[in-house]
Amino acid sequence: MVAWRIENKLPLLPDYRSNGVHYNDLRKVAASEYRVDLCVSVEQDVDANPQGVISKVIPACRCAVARHYGSHDYVSAAHYMYEEWLPNSAEKLGEFPIFFHYVNVGPDLKDDEMITDVYLPPM
């Protein structure tokens, strides 16, 4: 993703959002079965490329949102959304998976400086 962004002159911030669509829970599946799409927002078509980057769309939808401060190794806001908020709400899990907006990203960012917004789309 980094090489593709550089090649296509897409800076990290503020115009091109970095997201991750998480299809399963790493705590509940083997690492080899874990699936996440790392994403960047773009306004142009994505042509075939050697990095294998393709176009997909995060659909416009209503979401519960929680902010996480800290490392991406364990995003406590995602745990909260699934384990606390969802069971205690009147909502049911939607069809689109949980996704993260990495508010600030970059190679020089320290773990304690990371900010991640977690979006859980209910039905």
Side-chain angles (χ1 to χ4, degrees), residues 34-112:
Y34 186 69
R35 185 169 161 232
V36 60
D37 287 341
L38 298 177
C39 315
V40 61
S41 61
V42 295
E43 294 183 17
Q44 73 276 5
D45 291 335
V46 175
D47 296 326
N49 57 81
Q51 294 87 6
V53 175
I54 61 171
S55 289
K56 286 189 174 181
V57 174
I58 295 175
C61 57
R62 184 176 66 90
C63 294
V65 182
R67 180 161 276 189
H68 170 79
Y69 296 95
S71 170
H72 296 153
D73 290 342
Y74 174 72
V75 179
S76 58
H79 176 82
Y80 169 79
M81 299 289 271
Y82 277 123
E83 305 296 328
E84 301 290 329
W85 179 82
L86 189 62
N88 292 307
S89 73
E91 304 288 349
K92 295 188 190 291
L93 196 57
E95 292 185 22
F96 195 79
I98 196 168
F99 59 97
F100 299 171
H101 169 217
Y102 305 108
V103 176
N104 58 349
V105 294
D108 299 324
L109 197 62
K110 296 180 177 94
D111 283 358
D112 63 349

Side-chain angles (χ1 to χ4, degrees), residues 15-34:
D15 297 327
Y16 301 96
R17 290 174 58 125
S18 295
N19 298 291
V21 179
H22 296 261
Y23 293 94
N24 44 28
D25 185 340
L26 188 54
R27 296 173 304 140
K28 296 179 181 176
V29 299
S32 61
E33 295 177 28
Y34 186 69

